Amino acid sequence: MSRLCMAAAAALLGAVAGCGEGSIPGASGSAEATSGGSVGGQGTAAAAGSHGVTQAGAQDFGLFRQVLDAGKVPAPNVLDDLGFFAEHKLDYPKATCGQDLCMHGLVGSMGNMITGANCTIVQIGLNTPLDAATLPRPPLDLVIAIDVSGSMQGEPIDFVREGLKRMLDYLDKEDRLSLVVFSDSADALFQGVGIDQKTKLAGLIGQIQTSGQTNLYDGLFTAYQIAAKQQGKGRSARVLFLSDGAANVGLQVRAKLRALAKAYALQGIGLSTIGVGKEFDVEAMRDVAEAGAGNFYFLEQPKAAAEVFTDEVKTAFHALALDAKITFRPAKGYAIRGVYGTHGWVGGPLGGVISIPALYLAKRTDATASITEGRRGGGGAILIELIPLAGVPDKAIGQLEIQWRHPVTGKVDGQVAALVAPHAPGQAPPEGWFSAPTVEKGFVMLNLFAAFQMACAQAFDADAGAARGVLQALKPQVTKWLKVRADPDVADDMKYVDKFLDALVKLSAQTPIQVPADPWPAD
Amino acid sequence: MAPAARPPALRPWSALAHPLWLASLAFMVANDHVFKGSGLLPGWLTGKLSDVTGLLVAPLVLAVLLGVRSRRGWVAANVAVGGFLAAVNLSAEAAHGWAWLTEFTPLPWRRMVVDAGDLAALPALLVGGWVFGRAMATGPGALATGPGAQANGAAVLASGPAMLAARPHPRLPNALRWAALASAGVFLLGNETSEPIGGGIPVSGVSFTAPFGIGNGTTRGLLLRVRPLRKGVAVDCAAVKAKPGLLLSRRLFAPAAVWGVDSTRTIDFSRDTLPAGDCAAYLIDGGTADGLAKVPMTLAFWIKSEWPARSIPGTVPSSGQTDLFAVAADNAGPLAWRSHPALFAPPPSLDPGPAPGCELPGDATGVAWQLPLPTGTHTIVERQQAPDGCTALDLAGKTNTQRWFVCLPPGALPFDSGDTITLAATSKGQAFGPIDGVEITGDGKLVRLGRGNDLVYFGKGKGKFAPKPGCDGHFDACGALGVALGVELTDVDGLASKVLAPGQAAAVGKGRTLWVVRAQDQITGDPKCLGTSAAVPASRLIESVYVEVP
């Protein structure tokens, strides 16, 4: 068991306080923040205008918001870093690298906003000089699989019908549409109908009816079978999968859904998933989208169906890169503590690889622009948290490398970046140091995510007081930062910090405290 | 010389109709179910009444049950009740012994209070002894038709026992006496809490019966978070016992229940959460109620047969006790757990990764089939294959066509559209089984797939399992720990001894192939992460497929 012992020791080493996890004074109840200093006031905003690039996987944290909007405390699995970061637009330096994809390796170091413990992060940003409006794409065979089980009856299916009809306007006339409906079993309502027959399509979409249970596997399997048949030279194929429930008939092994999506993604058929309502299997839909090299959306309200369908058509069908791999090896003065904003990290303290099945254009182009149509499409970032190792004078932070495959030509391309700080590991000035202003936002975003995640875990573990302590420690720090940097994403996040605190107050009052049997039960 | 006249035999049965006994019984029931905690009577009074009425009711019940006929026997019954009360209120050992005995009855006493103050009620025995002794000697009188028959319980109590003793008591139907006797017996046995009189000073908290308790040995109140294993988690207890802190992941534990523990008190923390298996594990931490100090996290793990349930006092003893996990403070220093053989360092916050080459197949790997199984004979109308290894078979039966999914290694399903197949469940393992499996037969071909603690049956030969050298284990996404196994095939005709790793296949005869899809020892298991809704075997998980094509 010696290797397990060593690995456990390494894991314990990794658990020391850093950006994402800290020791809050007091086992329960409120805690005071130990400030690490201001993170505002440095540099100028990076150039806006280049399109961000987003990974396959969750594109929002809508379910988390919905739970808080309802005055409840989200369970720990509800918040996903990929989805949370994707709703934050980070402006990277203009994409002038001369390739379709430009990688920006940025660095920041300062005390975290929860406990003040040192936090050094490498922020990996991706953007592109390409624009969805001018980017050519091959004709598409789109297969949409819709859950028509009984629970979709009424408003949900009405909005889905409406969203599908509106989506037709954003498809090209060479594109073709197939529609699979599934409940107890799956059926193809129509296959390969050209978008030029909009009236016919609208009529067929209008015929969708609801009844029965939810056979997720058959629905996805049937959609892929159709997409695979239609996939031809010079055309691309994609599946859009929408459900409001968890599988209750058919092959109900969740992992098999993921395996199916992954296997077809390798054959070039992408998948995006959409969860509707409160009852759908959020982990299954999120994981399947990520495995299927596509996006996962959550519809807080059925009427958002139109927005999601059109967003998907506008951006997600423009794959910029496939099978991307980002390698990071820290210099000898640092060890990796954690990696956020991706589910594809495989590695340890001394380095590893992030695998991303597909990269797409993100919708938003400016971090400072007010949010009018929802925060989806920010692009997000991947953040690598480092532990500075004491006594190493080397200022090098590490080396970053990316490789990807062009979705049309199949050509493999790549970039390399060496990261260096102006100070030795752990020797950042009290006010912090950031290699670019956008790292500040990445830093704040990571602190918010870490605080939300810690608060969820602690509240779920019957420690609502400690959860409040985390958020109360974070709140003044972020508020201070917002005074210097007006940021619509972070300002919106803060609304949810307040809602979370309110929900925790309620939860504290409701948490049952068991006590030993009273020796004098009545006397 | 005429022989001395023998005193008449006592008839305890007749005294069950005595108004004082009936009133005491009624008042005892009302006191415990109505008055206590209602605020109608002060607490000290309800406690006092409970003890007094109990001492009036109990000796007569005992006398009836033992068939006492003599005065000596009646005195002995009173002494026995008094002696019992004195013993359990003066000696914690006696109280715990009684609690232990009652564990074998339908009405176990788990909330005993040792309190010498209860002895103040003992004079009630003298009153009952005298009143009921006279009543059982005289038998039922004519009062049933006289004015005394109208006396109710309250009047009886008000007029005093002396007056009552002088009166004959009414006739009462036998059925009612039985009912009164039964209710008194049940109530006395079920009334497990002995309470102090007049708010006397407690000498102990409430004892309970459990393998272990947690005691607060500090001077401050504590809030402790106690996490049991998640429901459905299976544990190989013998294996985990070696290093619980390294082999149990934090992710195997359920959210905490919070316990408030006053200074010096103990809690029955495993109440309602003790798992059904051979061992128990709890992850415990917390802090002082004021939030100023933390109780460090600890892991409690024990084999249940080694630590049977026993009566645990409600108060932390001054000396160490083997059935108590105690938190103590070192002279107002940090809080710490007292050393205990069932307490271990907690698992690390992050599970360590597996050694290279020791990774287990992910949950997407493995055989699977759609349930319910459409048993019987069908014609395959259409076969559609997905690249993940799952196949959709559209099966035409006698009345309808249905789609059935089965997931196998590539090339392990030798049936196609137009073939007729028969589907049946199988539990036949190679050595001992049983396994959970399916047989598909048709046209002389056979596919047998299954999961369990053995290979599917493949005919002559043996399959032996051994851990892959250098592989300690791999924690899955649920925190369950598995150890990769190699499968050694021996005694197979035409095949030299061969070791198969998961994902490999071997010919085990002409036209006969065996696939090992998954082979691992499950130190801990959670069905959620093993791609199945079926129960997880506690120690071994084998998935295999056997194919015969003539």
Side-chain angles (χ1 to χ4, degrees), chain A residues 377-391:
Chain A
I382 295 170
L383 299 171
I384 300 176
E385 183 188 352
L386 301 176
I387 304 168
L389 303 177

Side-chain angles (χ1 to χ4, degrees), chain A residues 10-290:
Chain A
L12 276 172
L13 174 70
V16 298
C19 306
E21 199 173 318
S23 164
I24 302 298
S28 96
S30 62
E32 292 301 317
T34 49
S35 170
S38 166
V39 296
Q42 270 210 10
T44 56
S50 295
H51 264 285
V53 171
T54 191
Q55 304 172 62
Q59 296 302 305
D60 56 50
F61 65 114
L63 183 57
F64 180 84
R65 283 198 303 261
Q66 188 189 53
V67 174
L68 288 175
D69 285 338
K72 295 177 180 168
V73 174
N77 65 341
V78 169
L79 186 64
D80 175 76
D81 51 351
L82 230 157
F84 183 72
F85 291 1
E87 290 208 24
H88 293 78
K89 175 71 179 96
L90 295 155
D91 285 336
Y92 295 109
K94 204 137 182 109
T96 54
C97 62
Q99 293 171 296
D100 286 357
L101 200 60
C102 294
M103 178 179 71
H104 305 278
L106 309 169
V107 184
S109 180
M110 70 166 297
N112 79 41
M113 300 172 105
I114 304 171
T115 65
N118 181 271
C119 173
T120 300
I121 58 170
V122 170
Q123 180 173 321
I124 306 167
L126 298 166
N127 62 359
T128 178
L130 304 177
D131 189 335
T134 56
L135 188 66
R137 71 164 170 83
L140 173 74
D141 278 302
L142 178 63
V143 184
I144 301 179
I146 305 281
D147 180 351
V148 292
S149 58
S151 54
M152 286 287 288
Q153 194 174 9
E155 209 176 48
I157 201 67
D158 290 342
F159 282 111
V160 167
R161 285 195 204 104
E162 188 57 32
L164 286 173
K165 288 176 189 171
R166 283 180 59 179
M167 187 184 72
L168 297 177
D169 295 334
Y170 294 92
L171 290 167
D172 293 342
K173 59 184 177 186
E174 294 86 9
D175 295 339
R176 292 185 304 213
L177 186 66
S178 304
L179 187 61
V180 171
V181 292
F182 62 93
S183 53
D184 293 332
S185 60
D187 293 299
L189 209 60
F190 57 85
Q191 296 185 42
V193 178
I195 298 301
D196 52 351
Q197 303 176 60
K198 272 188 190 167
T199 311
K200 180 183 174 184
L201 284 170
L204 291 168
I205 288 167
Q207 291 174 14
I208 299 173
Q209 297 298 324
T210 58
S211 71
Q213 296 182 287
T214 306
N215 191 337
L216 289 182
Y217 191 86
D218 200 8
L220 190 59
F221 183 94
T222 304
Y224 271 130
Q225 290 286 326
I226 294 170
K229 276 183 206 162
Q230 294 182 343
Q231 191 181 24
K233 195 173 181 185
R235 299 184 69 85
S236 63
R238 192 169 184 85
V239 172
L240 198 54
F241 187 62
L242 182 146
S243 174
D244 77 333
N248 47 22
V249 286
L251 187 64
Q252 294 173 53
V253 182
R254 188 196 277 174
K256 293 296 180 190
L257 278 172
R258 208 167 59 236
L260 184 68
K262 188 173 181 181
Y264 275 108
L266 290 172
Q267 295 188 2
I269 303 176
L271 166 76
S272 286
T273 64
I274 301 169
V276 182
K278 296 174 184 169
E279 305 298 326
F280 76 97
D281 188 338
V282 60
E283 285 181 80
M285 297 292 270
R286 194 163 62 197
D287 292 354
V288 168
E290 201 174 328

Side-chain angles (χ1 to χ4, degrees), chain A residues 7 26 218 256 258 461 514 520 523, chain B residues 43 46 202 227 258 260 352 363 366:
Chain A
D218 200 8
K256 293 296 180 190
R258 208 167 59 236
D461 198 30
Q514 303 185 53
W520 332 118
D523 304 309
Chain B
T46 56
R227 304 163 188 85
V258 182
D363 56 358

